[in-house]
Amino acid sequence: MESGAAAAKSFSTGSSRLFALAQQLRVYKPPLNEAEESTRKLISHVGFQESMSPAKKAAVLICLFEGDDGDLRVILTKRSSGLSTHSGEVSLPGGKAEEDDKDDGVTATREAEEEIGLHPSLVDVVSFLEPFLSQHLLRVIPVVGILWDRKAFSPTPNPAEVEAVFDAPLEMFLKDENRRSEEIEWMGNKHLLHFFDYNTGDKDYVIWGLTAVILIRAASVVYQRPPAFIVKKPNFKYSRM
């Protein structure tokens, strides 16, 4: 995504820990059974052709960087209150695929630039997680990218889409602190809906739903350990909201 000179410049700002993480994630392969299950679930409800069209695909960017204290952090947004869907909710940058997007990485970074002014050249896409199914039947691909130089990014949120841009420690999505869950029924099955409370400065945010589940999965992959809580109801094949 960058020229050789630009990549070398941005990579020179990364720590050895960030380099190691990038190497780890570049060789990560999502579990085929989970990816196929997500796709089959979607196809069974909306049909193959419709589900695989660009209008039914989306990608979100899990943009990671190293904080001042050396912790791994992820960029999040609070959606504008004027949006027709998920208004005021916390989300990852991203959106629906367009016909000329060559892959999910392009979709995620394009949308991130449109929403928060994060130029694609600053993001090193290193991995893709398995697809998740949204409540609106979008097949969502989480794209993991590394922001090697945090100081090079100055958030410029698009007010029509984003009310605020903030970041949170990725590891919090493995901890059972400031977390609660509710049992719901969706598509005929029972699921656990997770809520994470997060405070930064004078702002309080609640990270929940699909965004929370994607970040739980991302944290599990990055830290190579399971969360300290039950993620989904047992004995159900599919429990992602």
Side-chain angles (χ1 to χ4, degrees):
M1 296 187 64
E2 296 176 290
S3 67
K9 181 179 179 181
S10 63
F11 283 16
S12 67
T13 63
S15 69
S16 58
R17 178 189 177 193
L18 218 50
F19 276 110
L21 175 63
Q23 290 180 323
Q24 170 195 324
L25 293 174
R26 287 187 203 281
V27 298
Y28 171 76
K29 301 295 182 185
L32 291 178
N33 60 332
E34 293 192 30
E36 291 170 353
E37 183 181 359
S38 301
T39 302
R40 285 198 303 270
K41 191 74 172 181
L42 180 56
I43 290 171
S44 69
H45 282 270
V46 299
F48 181 79
Q49 292 299 326
E50 185 180 14
S51 69
M52 293 300 102
S53 69
K56 288 294 181 179
K57 289 179 62 179
V60 293
L61 181 64
I62 303 170
C63 188
L64 305 176
F65 68 93
E66 217 165 31
D68 293 337
D69 296 328
D71 59 333
L72 201 59
R73 305 185 71 83
V74 59
I75 295 175
L76 294 164
T77 71
K78 182 179 180 182
R79 291 167 60 86
S80 169
S81 58
L83 292 172
S84 59
T85 58
H86 303 292
S87 59
E89 294 182 8
V90 172
S91 67
L92 291 156
K96 292 181 180 178
E98 295 184 354
E99 289 187 7
D100 56 351
D101 288 346
K102 68 176 185 178
D103 59 31
D104 298 309
V106 170
T107 299
T109 54
R110 172 182 54 75
E111 286 285 337
E113 182 176 22
E114 293 175 5
E115 292 178 6
I116 62 175
L118 177 59
H119 197 276
S121 66
L122 295 175
V123 181
D124 184 15
V125 172
V126 293
S127 191
F128 302 86
L129 304 185
E130 60 269 26
F132 290 74
L133 184 63
S134 80
Q135 70 179 97
H136 297 293
L137 302 183
L138 282 173
R139 185 174 183 265
V140 181
I141 304 295
V143 177
V144 184
I146 290 179
L147 177 62
W148 295 94
D149 186 1
R150 174 62 180 85
K151 294 179 180 178
F153 170 49
S154 179
T156 53
N158 177 351
E161 298 186 62
V162 174
E163 182 178 308
V165 181
F166 67 101
D167 55 79
L170 182 65
E171 195 173 14
M172 69 175 275
F173 298 101
L174 294 179
K175 299 177 180 179
D176 202 16
E177 302 167 8
N178 302 312
R179 185 200 69 88
R180 62 189 188 279
S181 64
E182 296 178 5
E183 185 177 294
I184 63 167
E185 187 169 317
W186 183 61
M187 299 177 82
N189 286 335
K190 292 182 179 180
H191 307 266
L192 287 179
L193 195 60
H194 299 276
F195 299 80
F196 292 87
D197 297 310
Y198 181 65
N199 171 270
T200 175
D202 59 348
K203 301 290 185 181
D204 293 314
Y205 297 102
V206 179
I207 305 159
W208 67 287
L210 181 64
T211 298
V213 175
I214 288 175
L215 289 171
I216 291 169
R217 179 60 182 159
S220 298
V221 170
V222 167
Y223 289 99
Q224 298 182 305
R225 71 175 194 267
F229 52 85
I230 297 173
V231 177
K232 57 184 179 180
K233 295 289 289 182
N235 302 322
F236 287 98
K237 292 183 179 180
Y238 192 84
S239 61
R240 293 190 170 92
M241 261 296 291

